[in-house]
Amino acid sequence: MGASLELDDIQAGALYERPSPYVGVYLLLCIRDRADGRELVRRLHRIVDPASTIGTADETSLTVAFTYHGLEALGVPQTSLDSFAPEFRQGMAARAEILGDTGASGPDQWEEPLGSTDVHVAIAVLSSDEARLHTVAEKARAAHAELPGIELIWRQDCYQLATGRTSFGFKDGIGQPAVEGSGRASTNPRERPLKAGEIILGYPDETGELPPMPAPEVLGRNGTYVVFRKLHTRVAAYRSYLRARSASRAEEDVLGAKIVGRWQSGAPLALAPDHDDPELGSDPHRNNDFAFGDDPRGFKCPVGAHARRANPRDALDQEGSVDVRLHRMIRRGTSYGPMLPEGVTEDDGIDRGIIFVFAGAHLRRQFEFVKTQWLNDGIFIGAPRESDPLVGPHDDSSSFTIPQRPIRRRLQDLPPFVVTRGGEYCFAPSLSALRWLAELDT
Amino acid sequence: MAAPDSGVTRPGLSVGPTSEFSLFFRVKDGQAPPLRAALLSLQDTPGYRPGDYGMAIQTIHEARFVLFDDDTRLAFITSFDGPWDAYMEDFFTSGPTLALFDAIFGHVEGYDGLPDVAAVRAFVLDAEQTAAAYARNYGGTVKEIRKSQRVNRAFQQVLDHAQAAEILEHPALRPLLDEAAD
Ligand code: HEM
């Protein structure tokens, strides 16, 4: 047992997944007037769910987070602003070059107002059905509607299908770390739950230290950093790419599975190397219970597959220079836009993809490390010229190696399948921090 | 290159995928003899014995410890695959580096030891000096070099086969035949 988490002070959304399926909406607000901003926070505080209420009757959840400029707009003192992580202070757009958000994914191409200093408050409302969503979204709306100093600047509907599948057709959200003290067991019995401080500020992390925490303590403790990114997926391009390189639909499925590291059903290649196994894919007791140690060369799951890059599990344990547990994250992605109908390989011009959401205590060594070292680069697998075949930037002629006997297969000239539409680094404070923010008198 | 106000570290110079990493320390008074002894015994551990080629940290190309200025200073100089600054915390939580640190750096100034990771991090960043010039004579990561060596060994084995010349005549093997003559 680890240190007990103060569940009644932590926002539920950071720690717990919503039961699937659900519908939801993301709202971005701009605080034009400080007093109205604080009134907004006071109202939001009343409708945010603490982690301790999860699993009870109310099947709707609301999570609220602030950007650096949002905290500034609320009048958080400068000394306190300066105590936040440098990446958070800079904001995602300023980190674009490092993150590989260039060209079509560059901030100058981002959807308005993403990446601008107007983005202050981010609210996610998720619910099991439209009616309940409407009720809570209405509460959120009421929280800002009659406040003239608060402007709704962006709204994005999102959902998760009952199958858990996202636009490329793959079940997502399976690989997640467990967190000590959260009361949830690990879905991967081979991975000990992470020290709470990897995800929630104010508790020791995997290095045995308290993660750097914003001051004062009431503001930082029980909070977590949140990253959201709107990622457009070029589904037709992805399907045509596979089709052009396959003799059959079955072969397309194999190539897709090699690219992701799991079959569309979610069944991991490590356990089902040759054929999809939908029963395995949907079995939460088995679909995350695997490692890569028995497959160092990647004959079952390529070392460059998306999920193996994003979480190499035991694959790098022998290297003496990387501790995978320092680079884990909670993901809360949702889908946006309608699915491209099965079999269609012609682009219909409709925007679809995922809203990628990260929660963790360390922006740099969790989100940015995974994105830059493991997804955008291939140095760590001895393939510096390869990046993630699914989500890598692929600006020059990218390739992807599929180890197989007798001769490896190499996919050439991968186009980018994912384009960043924008995003931001946020901070999801505790309930007591929300109260503190509402009561600021600067 | 450093960005002091942001607290964000920058790697040293890099060539291709590899970055240089050099640390300079002051030896504690009277600690030069035990430090030399510690380095000698390090040199005698598996992986560090000349000819072993299997250091515990598999992402560095080579490592050297140099005592200089009458044994008052110690330099640790290596080349790392990837930007080393991204791996700072990893060094202090993965076993082999830790053991190395405790055995060697206990003899230099400023090292208070673990478990204070933040202090060790500051200690290392303090000792790091970015090279003024850095060049490499081959590209590639340790993983790629090892793969090339395995492939070459296999190739030499093929060449030793009685029918090698005949087999390599196939047009698809032309690039290999070009490498077969010496
Ligand atoms: C449009 C972009 C993306 C798509 C479509 C996508 C899709 C997927 C899919 C299908 C899986 C396998 C299912 C699962 O284990 O949940 C997965 C796993 C994962 N992805 Fe992504 N992903 C995207 C972007 C990202 C980014 C940007 C990151 C991190 C910076 C990331 C991190 C992860 C992680 C950590 C896992 C779990 C690996 C494991 O624990 O086995 N993904 N993703």
Side-chain angles (χ1 to χ4, degrees):
Chain A
M1 269 317 293
S4 63
L5 279 169
E6 291 161 9
L7 296 177
D8 52 355
D9 196 37
I10 298 168
Q11 293 196 53
L15 274 182
Y16 302 125
E17 193 97 62
R18 285 211 34 79
S20 178
Y22 56 74
V23 287
V25 60
Y26 297 99
L27 307 170
L28 293 180
L29 307 176
C30 177
I31 302 170
R32 306 265 183 225
D33 175 84
R34 183 162 292 176
D36 281 358
R38 290 171 182 170
E39 179 56 29
L40 169 77
V41 176
R42 189 168 301 119
R43 295 177 186 186
L44 287 172
H45 172 259
R46 286 201 293 267
I47 51 177
V48 156
D49 312 277
S52 51
T53 62
I54 270 314
T56 55
D58 188 0
E59 282 307 337
T60 300
S61 72
L62 183 144
T63 308
V64 55
F66 300 87
T67 65
Y68 177 83
H69 292 287
L71 296 177
E72 201 177 32
L74 286 171
V76 171
Q78 192 61 45
T79 47
S80 172
L81 290 171
D82 290 344
S83 66
F84 280 84
E87 303 78 23
F88 171 78
R89 276 145 52 201
Q90 290 174 25
M92 188 184 286
R95 308 287 292 168
E97 205 72 38
I98 294 166
L99 294 173
D101 287 333
T102 55
S105 289
D108 53 333
Q109 305 290 317
W110 285 4
E111 185 176 313
E112 298 249 320
L114 302 177
S116 86
T117 53
D118 278 351
V119 178
H120 292 167
V121 188
I123 298 175
V125 190
L126 302 178
S127 183
S128 45
D129 61 64
E130 291 281 357
R132 285 208 184 87
L133 173 70
H134 186 76
T135 316
V136 178
E138 190 49 40
K139 276 199 232 171
R141 206 190 60 83
H144 70 78
E146 71 272 26
L147 298 171
I150 303 299
E151 191 187 334
L152 175 66
I153 55 173
W154 191 71
R155 186 197 151 106
Q156 174 70 60
D157 291 319
C158 67
Y159 61 96
Q160 189 184 71
L161 294 177
T163 55
R165 295 191 185 204
T166 56
S167 55
F168 288 123
F170 292 86
K171 185 177 163 77
D172 201 348
I174 307 168
Q176 301 275 20
V179 181
E180 266 190 13
S182 71
R184 299 283 165 100
S186 177
T187 55
N188 177 6
R190 300 154 204 257
E191 183 182 56
R192 264 180 302 118
L194 292 180
K195 292 280 178 227
E198 287 297 312
I199 305 301
I200 305 291
L201 296 171
Y203 304 85
D205 65 20
E206 287 289 327
T207 69
E209 315 253 302
L210 289 176
M213 188 170 78
E217 183 166 346
V218 61
L219 175 60
R221 186 174 171 79
N222 290 325
T224 185
Y225 288 106
V226 171
V227 174
F228 80 87
R229 284 162 76 74
K230 181 173 181 180
L231 300 174
H232 167 69
T233 50
R234 300 178 59 226
V235 180
Y238 167 82
R239 287 183 189 166
S240 334
Y241 181 88
L242 293 191
R243 183 145 306 169
R245 282 152 188 83
S246 307
S248 63
R249 290 301 282 270
E251 191 180 347
E252 283 174 46
D253 288 347
V254 172
L255 289 184
K258 293 289 187 182
I259 283 174
V260 169
R262 291 181 182 268
W263 298 90
Q264 290 202 349
S265 72
L269 286 179
L271 300 179
D274 302 318
H275 304 283
D276 194 358
D277 179 348
E279 216 173 288
L280 169 63
S282 58
D283 182 349
H285 298 294
R286 294 191 295 143
N287 66 12
N288 199 32
D289 182 2
F290 65 94
F292 297 118
D294 64 338
D295 184 27
R297 294 174 69 181
F299 291 119
K300 290 192 284 181
C301 179
V303 291
H306 171 65
R308 183 163 174 169
R309 283 171 171 268
N311 179 12
R313 299 178 187 232
D314 58 342
L316 306 176
D317 287 359
Q318 306 312 311
E319 311 223 327
S321 56
V322 57
D323 180 352
V324 174
R325 296 174 64 78
L326 300 184
H327 311 291
R328 304 287 288 121
M329 63 181 74
I330 299 277
R331 288 175 303 137
R332 292 280 176 264
T334 58
S335 293
Y336 76 89
M339 295 292 159
L340 187 65
E342 186 93 19
V344 174
T345 53
E346 202 70 13
D347 186 21
D348 60 1
I350 296 177
D351 192 11
R352 60 173 58 82
I354 64 170
I355 306 292
F356 171 89
V357 177
F358 153 104
H362 300 270
L363 288 172
R364 189 181 58 84
R365 77 159 156 82
Q366 293 171 329
F367 172 70
E368 291 196 345
F369 179 96
V370 172
K371 177 77 173 114
T372 60
Q373 303 308 308
W374 288 350
L375 303 186
N376 292 356
D377 209 311
I379 292 175
F380 81 110
I381 51 170
R385 277 164 302 276
E386 294 191 4
S387 65
D388 188 297
L390 187 69
V391 312
H394 308 166
D395 5 15
D396 34 30
S397 51
S398 248
S399 59
F400 170 55
T401 306
I402 303 173
Q404 60 181 28
R405 291 199 162 91
I407 292 176
R408 57 100 178 106
R409 179 159 184 189
R410 187 163 281 166
L411 299 181
Q412 305 283 9
D413 301 318
L414 284 152
F417 296 126
V418 173
V419 179
T420 309
R421 289 265 193 260
E424 197 46 277
Y425 288 163
C426 303
F427 176 69
S430 69
L431 274 80
S432 27
L434 284 172
R435 210 155 40 231
W436 182 84
L437 287 167
E439 286 162 10
L440 279 171
D441 58 3
T442 47
Chain B
M1 275 205 89
D5 59 345
S6 65
V8 178
T9 56
R10 292 256 165 267
L13 300 186
S14 58
V15 174
T18 307
S19 61
E20 53 87 17
F21 185 46
S22 311
L23 303 177
F24 297 88
F25 307 98
R26 284 176 201 289
V27 179
K28 280 182 188 155
D29 258 357
Q31 293 287 300
L35 176 53
R36 268 199 186 275
L39 290 170
L40 265 179
S41 55
L42 173 70
Q43 185 85 78
D44 198 36
T45 55
Y48 290 85
R49 280 188 291 254
D52 268 12
Y53 303 123
M55 286 183 282
I57 303 164
Q58 298 193 8
T59 47
I60 58 179
H61 288 251
E62 83 294 307
R64 80 192 58 180
F65 292 90
V66 183
L67 275 160
F68 63 108
D69 277 0
D70 293 331
D71 287 4
T72 59
R73 313 280 319 270
L74 171 74
F76 169 69
I77 296 170
T78 184
S79 291
F80 182 79
D81 285 336
W84 57 260
D85 65 323
Y87 289 86
M88 282 294 271
E89 282 84 1
D90 297 67
F91 294 149
F92 312 132
T93 58
S94 18
T97 335
L98 266 190
L100 185 86
F101 266 56
D102 261 356
I104 309 296
F105 297 136
H107 302 290
V108 305
E109 286 173 10
Y111 182 70
D112 298 325
L114 292 147
D116 191 346
V117 175
V120 177
R121 188 169 194 272
F123 160 77
V124 169
L125 286 180
D126 230 37
E128 194 265 334
Q129 297 289 342
T130 296
Y134 179 55
R136 301 187 58 74
N137 233 340
Y138 55 84
T141 61
V142 174
K143 280 197 173 78
E144 289 172 289
I145 304 294
R146 287 190 169 150
K147 170 81 178 176
S148 324
Q149 289 179 340
R150 286 197 305 274
V151 171
N152 188 43
R153 254 194 314 274
F155 181 53
Q156 297 304 325
Q157 254 172 300
V158 171
L159 294 187
D160 288 337
H161 193 279
Q163 272 119 44
E166 195 183 314
I167 293 162
L168 291 178
E169 279 305 326
H170 192 283
L173 298 180
R174 186 62 207 243
L176 288 179
L177 192 58
D178 288 345
E179 290 291 346
D182 56 5

